[in-house]
Short mmCIF file of all heavy atoms in Angstrom, two decimals:
data_model
loop_
_atom_site.label_atom_id
_atom_site.label_comp_id
_atom_site.label_asym_id
_atom_site.label_seq_id
_atom_site.Cartn_x
_atom_site.Cartn_y
_atom_site.Cartn_z
N LEU A 66 -11.95 85.83 39.52
CA LEU A 66 -12.59 84.58 39.99
C LEU A 66 -12.29 83.43 39.03
O LEU A 66 -12.01 82.31 39.46
CB LEU A 66 -14.09 84.81 40.15
CG LEU A 66 -14.46 85.68 41.36
CD1 LEU A 66 -15.86 86.26 41.19
CD2 LEU A 66 -14.38 84.88 42.64
N ASN A 67 -12.34 83.69 37.73
CA ASN A 67 -12.01 82.65 36.76
C ASN A 67 -10.56 82.21 36.89
O ASN A 67 -10.24 81.02 36.76
CB ASN A 67 -12.27 83.14 35.33
CG ASN A 67 -13.73 83.11 34.94
OD1 ASN A 67 -14.50 82.29 35.45
ND2 ASN A 67 -14.13 83.99 34.04
N ARG A 68 -9.67 83.17 37.14
CA ARG A 68 -8.26 82.82 37.31
C ARG A 68 -8.07 81.92 38.51
O ARG A 68 -7.32 80.94 38.45
CB ARG A 68 -7.42 84.10 37.46
CG ARG A 68 -5.94 83.83 37.68
CD ARG A 68 -5.17 85.11 37.94
NE ARG A 68 -3.74 84.84 38.14
CZ ARG A 68 -3.19 84.50 39.30
NH1 ARG A 68 -3.96 84.41 40.38
NH2 ARG A 68 -1.89 84.26 39.39
N GLN A 69 -8.72 82.23 39.60
CA GLN A 69 -8.62 81.39 40.79
C GLN A 69 -9.09 79.96 40.48
O GLN A 69 -8.45 78.98 40.86
CB GLN A 69 -9.45 81.97 41.93
CG GLN A 69 -8.88 83.25 42.52
CD GLN A 69 -9.76 83.82 43.62
OE1 GLN A 69 -10.96 83.57 43.66
NE2 GLN A 69 -9.15 84.58 44.52
N GLU A 70 -10.22 79.88 39.79
CA GLU A 70 -10.77 78.56 39.49
C GLU A 70 -9.89 77.79 38.51
O GLU A 70 -9.71 76.58 38.64
CB GLU A 70 -12.20 78.73 38.95
CG GLU A 70 -13.16 79.23 40.04
CD GLU A 70 -14.24 80.17 39.54
OE1 GLU A 70 -14.57 80.11 38.33
OE2 GLU A 70 -14.74 80.97 40.35
N ALA A 71 -9.31 78.49 37.53
CA ALA A 71 -8.45 77.83 36.55
C ALA A 71 -7.17 77.30 37.18
O ALA A 71 -6.61 76.29 36.71
CB ALA A 71 -8.12 78.80 35.42
N THR A 72 -6.70 77.97 38.22
CA THR A 72 -5.47 77.53 38.89
C THR A 72 -5.74 76.53 40.01
O THR A 72 -4.81 76.14 40.72
CB THR A 72 -4.70 78.74 39.47
OG1 THR A 72 -5.55 79.43 40.40
CG2 THR A 72 -4.28 79.69 38.36
N GLY A 73 -7.00 76.16 40.18
CA GLY A 73 -7.35 75.17 41.19
C GLY A 73 -7.53 75.72 42.58
O GLY A 73 -7.65 74.97 43.56
N MET A 74 -7.56 77.04 42.70
CA MET A 74 -7.75 77.63 44.02
C MET A 74 -9.20 77.47 44.45
O MET A 74 -10.12 77.79 43.70
CB MET A 74 -7.38 79.12 44.00
CG MET A 74 -7.41 79.78 45.37
SD MET A 74 -6.89 81.52 45.26
CE MET A 74 -6.80 81.95 46.98
N ARG A 75 -9.39 76.97 45.65
CA ARG A 75 -10.73 76.81 46.21
C ARG A 75 -10.79 77.54 47.53
O ARG A 75 -9.83 77.59 48.29
CB ARG A 75 -11.08 75.33 46.38
CG ARG A 75 -11.21 74.56 45.06
CD ARG A 75 -12.40 75.06 44.25
NE ARG A 75 -12.52 74.35 42.97
CZ ARG A 75 -12.02 74.78 41.82
NH1 ARG A 75 -11.33 75.92 41.79
NH2 ARG A 75 -12.20 74.09 40.71
N GLY A 76 -11.93 78.10 47.83
CA GLY A 76 -12.13 78.84 49.06
C GLY A 76 -13.49 79.49 49.04
O GLY A 76 -14.17 79.53 48.01
N GLU A 100 -17.84 75.01 48.29
CA GLU A 100 -17.52 76.36 48.75
C GLU A 100 -18.73 76.98 49.42
O GLU A 100 -19.87 76.71 49.04
CB GLU A 100 -17.07 77.24 47.58
CG GLU A 100 -15.72 76.86 47.00
CD GLU A 100 -15.29 77.79 45.88
OE1 GLU A 100 -16.15 78.50 45.32
OE2 GLU A 100 -14.09 77.79 45.56
N ARG A 165 -11.41 82.98 49.43
CA ARG A 165 -10.53 83.32 48.29
C ARG A 165 -10.87 84.69 47.70
O ARG A 165 -10.05 85.30 47.02
CB ARG A 165 -10.61 82.25 47.21
CG ARG A 165 -11.98 82.03 46.56
CD ARG A 165 -11.89 80.89 45.55
NE ARG A 165 -13.18 80.48 45.00
CZ ARG A 165 -13.64 80.83 43.79
NH1 ARG A 165 -12.92 81.62 43.02
NH2 ARG A 165 -14.81 80.38 43.37
#
Side-chain angles (χ1 to χ4, degrees):
L66 288 160
N67 281 332
R68 178 185 181 274
Q69 290 178 336
E70 291 145 24
T72 59
M74 186 177 188
R75 294 293 179 266
E100 291 182 341
R165 62 183 173 101

